[in-house]
Amino acid sequence: MSSTNRKSDIIKATLELASENGLGTVSMNQIADKVGISKPSLYNHFSSKDEIVREMYSFLRNQAKQSLGNNGMDFDSLGDGRSLKKILTQMVESYKQLCTSPEMFMFYKIIMSQRSIDKSAAEIMVMETKAMIDATKKLFYALQVKNIANFYDADAAAISFAMAVHSIIDFECDLNQIDGGGKNSKGPEKNMMKNYIEEFSRIYSAKEACKNGKE
């Protein structure tokens, strides 16, 4: 078996063990037993459980992107007449699909439950948040250049948007746990993401800015 395939087996075994009993209880001995290899063989691939968890993040994220055909936003296509609202909706839906793909969703649930007590889990959440912010900044720069959006400070707007999207996705996941996805929800939480994107687009759309400037 190739080294790449063995690493994949180790990552998936660790994910399964963590989903059953929590990440904090998983030991290198348990992982080796689950994979069916000796502990020294396991250390030939990974030096620690923390390293396995960090590699798990990259592995599962790339796997989910390939499975979904998610290659990121095509900046060259931004001038095809789509509105800011439609572009942001597409971006958020793509990101939600990535986060909620089965193994990634399982991984995030484990990491989020551990981040207050496990440094490696907290590091992964920081990495994910930074990745979302960086991707949003790149998109917002392109939107500004193509005169689709009008930001006074694109970096600040990107951080605000990325953090709000993260929070709303977390909230929707919690709703899903208690009432089946908020189907029975009324009030502010109903269509929260849709309403947020609409308001954000209304504020920053270049077309809206031009229209308001003429008034």
Side-chain angles (χ1 to χ4, degrees), residues 132-148:
M132 175 63 169
I133 290 172
D134 288 345
T136 307
K137 283 182 179 181
K138 290 175 183 176
L139 173 61
F140 280 21
Y141 298 158
L143 291 170
Q144 185 101 326
V145 168
K146 292 181 178 291
N147 200 33
I148 297 169

Side-chain angles (χ1 to χ4, degrees), residues 7-193:
K7 281 191 171 186
S8 172
D9 290 343
I10 293 168
I11 286 169
K12 290 181 177 180
T14 306
L15 182 64
E16 288 178 20
L17 288 168
S19 67
E20 293 168 2
N21 304 306
L23 185 61
T25 67
V26 178
S27 68
M28 295 294 273
N29 279 329
Q30 289 176 320
I31 297 167
D33 289 344
K34 181 83 171 174
V35 178
I37 60 176
S38 66
K39 191 174 179 181
S41 294
L42 176 58
Y43 277 106
N44 285 335
H45 297 284
F46 295 100
S47 63
S48 66
K49 187 178 76 175
D50 285 351
E51 185 183 353
I52 297 175
V53 174
R54 286 192 295 270
E55 185 72 18
M56 189 188 299
Y57 166 69
S58 300
F59 176 84
L60 294 177
R61 205 176 196 280
N62 289 334
Q63 182 177 266
K65 289 178 74 172
Q66 291 175 8
S67 175
L68 295 168
N70 185 343
N71 298 315
M73 183 72 70
D74 178 9
F75 295 157
D76 291 335
S77 70
L78 292 178
D80 60 4
R82 283 177 296 162
S83 65
L84 178 60
K85 174 185 167 184
K86 191 165 186 178
I87 292 168
L88 294 179
T89 300
Q90 179 186 339
M91 174 198 178
V92 170
E93 285 304 313
S94 178
Y95 184 67
K96 284 175 68 175
Q97 286 180 355
L98 178 68
C99 292
T100 57
S101 61
E103 288 188 332
M104 279 302 294
F105 186 65
M106 184 190 301
F107 175 72
Y108 282 133
K109 283 177 68 176
I110 293 166
I111 292 301
M112 290 180 72
S113 69
Q114 291 289 125
R115 62 182 174 180
S116 63
I117 57 175
D118 188 310
K119 181 180 178 181
S120 63
E123 287 174 345
I124 286 169
M125 292 308 300
V126 169
M127 286 168 58
E128 177 61 22
T129 303
K130 285 183 175 180
M132 175 63 169
I133 290 172
D134 288 345
T136 307
K137 283 182 179 181
K138 290 175 183 176
L139 173 61
F140 280 21
Y141 298 158
L143 291 170
Q144 185 101 326
V145 168
K146 292 181 178 291
N147 200 33
I148 297 169
N150 185 25
F151 303 114
Y152 178 77
D153 184 334
D155 284 349
I159 292 170
S160 171
F161 186 81
M163 297 305 292
V165 166
H166 260 293
S167 296
I168 294 171
I169 290 175
D170 286 348
F171 181 72
E172 289 176 343
C173 288
D174 290 338
L175 272 182
N176 190 57
Q177 289 288 91
I178 61 176
D179 72 352
K183 294 176 182 177
N184 302 318
S185 299
K186 297 178 182 179
E189 67 267 23
K190 188 71 173 178
N191 298 319
M192 185 179 286
M193 186 72 80

